Amino acid sequence: MQDIVVGKYRLSKSENFDNFLSEIGLGYIKRKLAQSTNPEITITRDGDKYTMITSSALSTTQITFALGEEFKEDRQDGVSVTSLVTADGNTWTQTQKPGDGKDLLIVREFTDSELKVTSTINGVTANRVYERI
């Protein structure tokens, strides 16, 4: 059932991302740079471990994790967090806890053709859609 998540995706639509990045604490220039790229996400699976690589013209990040197990992660904004990804059908829910009380919730919904990502921090939500390539 989880095999639908494996694949490569490219950003095709973004809503409220600037407000979201502002709430995270990124300055104006970094926000504009982040919005100027069309990142790609590649997800692979090896047994019970998933690897998710997010790459853009600005940076590349990689995390490897097992569903339901906490792991350490350095976000693209440079903040170190404790993350947990759980699955419910074709939906992954990730919580990132940086320790400053600004917990981040990321919900990823996978279909045959796309990945919908909803990210929320302090009541500010960004919606991004990635097409499967």
Side-chain angles (χ1 to χ4, degrees):
M1 177 152 62
Q2 287 296 326
D3 287 342
I4 194 169
V5 306
V6 172
K8 190 170 188 174
Y9 308 86
R10 180 177 298 125
L11 181 68
S12 62
K13 183 179 178 185
S14 187
E15 296 174 352
N16 206 39
F17 195 53
D18 186 63
N19 289 336
F20 172 79
L21 294 176
S22 179
E23 187 64 28
I24 282 181
L26 285 186
Y28 177 80
I29 293 173
K30 287 185 178 181
R31 290 195 323 262
K32 293 307 170 195
L33 283 171
Q35 294 176 80
S36 70
T37 65
N38 286 328
E40 291 184 357
I41 297 174
T42 303
I43 300 174
T44 57
R45 181 178 182 182
D46 183 12
D48 65 345
K49 297 277 188 183
Y50 288 90
T51 298
M52 184 165 44
I53 300 169
T54 304
S55 60
S56 72
L58 298 175
S59 67
T60 298
T61 60
Q62 177 176 319
I63 58 173
T64 300
F65 59 92
L67 295 171
E69 294 181 12
E70 283 190 344
F71 61 98
K72 297 292 183 189
E73 176 181 3
D74 291 323
R75 291 191 320 213
Q76 286 183 317
D77 62 354
V79 174
S80 295
V81 298
T82 300
S83 281
L84 175 68
V85 181
T86 58
D88 182 10
N90 293 333
T91 300
W92 281 358
T93 301
Q94 180 178 5
T95 54
Q96 293 181 337
K97 297 181 181 255
D100 64 2
K102 284 189 161 188
D103 293 358
L104 175 57
L105 177 67
I106 305 167
V107 177
R108 296 178 178 91
E109 299 175 63
F110 297 89
T111 69
D112 290 333
S113 60
E114 65 186 15
L115 162 61
K116 293 181 184 177
V117 181
T118 303
S119 303
T120 304
I121 187 167
N122 290 343
V124 178
T125 299
N127 296 299
R128 305 188 97 192
V129 177
Y130 295 79
E131 292 180 355
R132 189 181 291 270
I133 53 176

